[in-house]
Amino acid sequence: MPAARPVAAPREMSYLRILAQGLVPATTAPDVVETVRRQLAMQGQQPSAVPHALIIRADGATGSDVDAAFAGGHLVRSWPMRGTVHITTTADHHWLREALMHRTDAWTRQSEERLGIDDALLRSAADTALALIQAEGPTARSRLIEAWQEAGLLDSADASTPGTWHRRHLLVRLQREGVLVQGPRRGNEHLIVDARALPGAETGPGGSGGAARGTGGHGAALAEIARRYATSHGPVSAADLARWTTLPLAQATRALEDAVEVTNAAAYPVDPAAARVPLVRARAEGGLRGSVRLLGADAGAGPGRDVLYLRADLPELLEANARAVGRTLFLPSFDELHVGYKDRLCLTDAAGERLICPAANGMFRPLLVDRGRVVAVRPVGEGLLWADGARRSARLDAAVDRVVRRVERRLSR
């Protein structure tokens, strides 16, 4: 564990997060599957934004590489946590889903009571879906809904009726239960496949103990969630992890402390090339727009509201990549650099948040980041909308144009 030391940079917290997120050459992954593995789960609510989020974190990756990763059964899209759609590797899907599924149990029970959905209906919906997939292969959402209607499981396809809520609940619930998952891409849709062939939860960090709450492997699963989150997002607080997973704050803190202990053990297989590195604690001096001070092992550091967690090599990486972290970035809607934290003051201010999500309705715009701060958004078909206080210049205009064209070329290939 390194000794306590300051890390000096004008927008240091944001720069450290950019490094951890794999958004500079020094930390990009070799391919899109490794990108997702390092992040553990990446926001996937808007299917068209997923390829963008993946290729900018993978060395030389293109849109066709993303399609191939889903078609080859390496990546899936589902609801593994937080009631929100995420992308995971097939290897991580089931254990992550089981580790956090209890966090939505109350919502599930309330919804099914309100909608009149019981276990018999769920079994029939699962049997119908699996029979359809076996007969026809990867299935579009509309085709699955049609099959459920033909089986008498849905009353109506009219969006004005309760049938809409029934079918959405069935789609989500069967994926939360590990029966179905979304796989290959077709246009702007991920087709539905049988999730039972994916590696089981026992192949995850909890081993034969599993991953679900109440099992012997649950603690190990939470520590691994915390480890990958802190490694790929840090510096982060326990409140950030709690928001990302919906775990209670105390449990998120315990998981992060366990992750620090695991990654600093003598037997831990350190491999910086695979983002397997020790985690350290730190504190922010001057808030999220101030500097970050690492806390040494002898500093009496422990869990606390102001304690941050990050990979131990980030300060050295920042020193070696000071120019790269400040470059202009073109990020998609729902990018983890923005939505992956409870507090993103280091990235933008309240006015910037309104620019990114003007209706406060959960629909986010693609954004441009320069020198660690949001400078503009780029809504589809609307062109650039500049943030208040963005210092326009010939350099910035040229950099924005260049990075947008570069990303669009890679997406089209």
Side-chain angles (χ1 to χ4, degrees), residues 128-260:
T128 301
L130 294 173
L132 177 66
I133 292 166
Q134 183 175 13
E136 300 182 7
T139 301
R141 179 179 182 274
S142 59
R143 177 68 185 98
L144 177 56
I145 290 171
E146 179 182 278
W148 282 339
Q149 289 171 332
E150 292 170 351
L153 303 178
L154 296 174
D155 294 332
S156 172
D158 186 344
S160 66
T161 73
T164 299
W165 298 104
H166 278 77
R167 60 179 181 257
R168 184 185 186 281
H169 186 89
L170 293 178
L171 286 164
V172 175
R173 177 67 188 276
L174 293 180
Q175 292 182 61
R176 293 287 294 155
E177 292 293 330
V179 178
L180 305 176
V181 72
Q182 298 169 56
R185 286 167 50 87
R186 187 174 68 189
N188 199 33
E189 179 182 12
H190 289 264
L191 303 180
I192 298 168
V193 297
D194 186 344
R196 298 174 302 171
L198 273 59
E202 70 279 0
T203 65
S208 60
R213 182 181 60 170
T215 66
H218 188 56
L222 295 187
E224 177 63 7
I225 292 169
R227 182 191 75 81
R228 280 202 243 176
Y229 176 69
T231 302
S232 63
H233 288 67
V236 293
S237 66
D240 289 318
L241 178 60
R243 179 187 178 279
W244 198 68
T245 58
T246 71
L247 287 170
L249 183 60
Q251 203 165 21
T253 302
R254 181 71 264 162
L256 284 163
E257 287 294 313
D258 288 345
V260 171

Side-chain angles (χ1 to χ4, degrees), residues 16-187:
L16 291 171
R17 287 178 173 180
I18 287 169
L19 276 164
Q21 287 272 351
L23 292 167
V24 299
T27 54
T28 53
D31 54 60
V32 296
V33 178
E34 177 65 8
T35 291
V36 178
R37 187 199 68 78
R38 292 182 183 184
Q39 297 254 342
L40 181 58
M42 296 181 68
Q43 174 73 239
Q45 185 168 334
Q46 185 174 324
S48 61
V50 169
H52 186 167
L54 298 189
I55 68 164
I56 59 177
R57 291 172 166 85
D59 187 22
T62 65
S64 60
D65 292 327
V66 176
D67 287 339
F70 282 103
H74 303 295
L75 299 178
V76 290
R77 179 178 185 262
S78 188
W79 284 267
M81 64 178 193
R82 206 170 77 225
T84 302
V85 185
H86 282 82
I87 306 300
T88 64
T89 68
T90 51
D92 289 323
H93 172 71
H94 278 313
W95 75 260
L96 174 62
R97 177 187 60 77
E98 288 197 8
L100 297 174
M101 190 167 63
H102 66 282
R103 297 300 300 162
T104 59
D105 281 349
W107 171 85
T108 298
R109 288 193 301 270
Q110 292 168 3
S111 297
E112 291 179 356
E113 183 177 347
R114 184 177 70 254
L115 295 171
I117 294 174
D118 57 18
D119 289 345
L121 177 59
L122 287 169
R123 285 194 298 271
S124 296
D127 291 343
T128 301
L130 294 173
L132 177 66
I133 292 166
Q134 183 175 13
E136 300 182 7
T139 301
R141 179 179 182 274
S142 59
R143 177 68 185 98
L144 177 56
I145 290 171
E146 179 182 278
W148 282 339
Q149 289 171 332
E150 292 170 351
L153 303 178
L154 296 174
D155 294 332
S156 172
D158 186 344
S160 66
T161 73
T164 299
W165 298 104
H166 278 77
R167 60 179 181 257
R168 184 185 186 281
H169 186 89
L170 293 178
L171 286 164
V172 175
R173 177 67 188 276
L174 293 180
Q175 292 182 61
R176 293 287 294 155
E177 292 293 330
V179 178
L180 305 176
V181 72
Q182 298 169 56
R185 286 167 50 87
R186 187 174 68 189

